Amino acid sequence: MGPIGMGSLLLIVFVALLIFGPSKLPQLGKAAGNTLREFKNATKGLADDDDSKPEKKEETK
């Protein structure tokens, strides 16, 4: 799948506006932003943990 086009994005916003109404959209956007921020921080924390672990090298004899 490719990136979302402008027409698709407008359709998604229009459907969300119909379903939730204009008063709920700012709250939904804020909640989605907070969720994405926490997910990004959690994945960054996992990546940092993996990078900080010393690699064990097996010695061959």
Side-chain angles (χ1 to χ4, degrees), residues 13-35:
V13 170
F14 180 71
V15 170
L17 191 61
L18 285 176
I19 293 172
F20 299 110
S23 62
K24 293 282 185 182
L25 284 182
Q27 294 171 353
L28 291 172
K30 185 177 180 181
N34 288 339
T35 302

Side-chain angles (χ1 to χ4, degrees), residues 3-60:
I4 297 176
M6 189 58 138
S8 299
L9 189 60
L10 288 174
L11 181 65
I12 292 169
V13 170
F14 180 71
V15 170
L17 191 61
L18 285 176
I19 293 172
F20 299 110
S23 62
K24 293 282 185 182
L25 284 182
Q27 294 171 353
L28 291 172
K30 185 177 180 181
N34 288 339
T35 302
L36 287 173
R37 186 179 309 117
E38 286 192 26
F39 180 75
K40 181 180 173 185
N41 289 339
T43 55
K44 184 181 179 206
L46 290 175
D48 289 346
D49 288 346
D50 289 344
D51 290 343
S52 65
K53 290 181 182 176
E55 293 183 17
K56 294 181 180 178
K57 295 182 181 178
E58 295 183 17
E59 294 181 15
T60 57

